[in-house]
Amino acid sequence: MAGKRDNPEEIVLKLRQVEVLQGQGRSIADAVRQIGVTQPTYYRWRKEYGGMSRDQLKRLKELETENTRLRRAVSDL
């Protein structure tokens, strides 16, 4: 059963929502439940995208696409 995949911008927004909810005194479990993801998903997202701004996220996506392009070029040689 596959679920909906969130794009990185949505993930960063959801991580910020959890931070706001924690600031209001909610537990992590309640905050994560409110944004509609499981705790393992939240911790995985936080490990990968935690503390990123939109500019950093944009740069990360650019580097990933460039890396993919370079890997294809090397494998073709």
Side-chain angles (χ1 to χ4, degrees), residues 10-72:
E10 292 172 347
I11 292 172
V12 170
L13 288 175
K14 287 184 178 185
L15 288 174
R16 294 247 168 87
Q17 286 176 343
V18 170
E19 291 175 6
V20 169
L21 292 171
Q22 279 184 302
Q24 294 173 351
R26 294 191 183 211
S27 67
I28 291 178
D30 290 337
V32 168
R33 200 174 312 124
Q34 183 152 356
I35 66 167
V37 298
T38 62
Q39 284 188 357
T41 300
Y42 165 72
Y43 286 113
R44 184 170 23 94
W45 285 353
R46 193 175 78 174
K47 180 179 170 186
E48 187 172 350
Y49 298 106
M52 277 193 186
S53 67
R54 287 182 184 250
D55 295 333
Q56 291 171 329
L57 186 62
K58 184 177 179 182
R59 180 69 179 145
L60 176 66
K61 285 183 0 183
E62 290 172 358
L63 289 173
E64 286 174 348
T65 55
E66 181 181 359
N67 191 18
T68 303
R69 183 183 59 79
L70 291 172
R71 284 181 191 221
R72 284 188 188 134

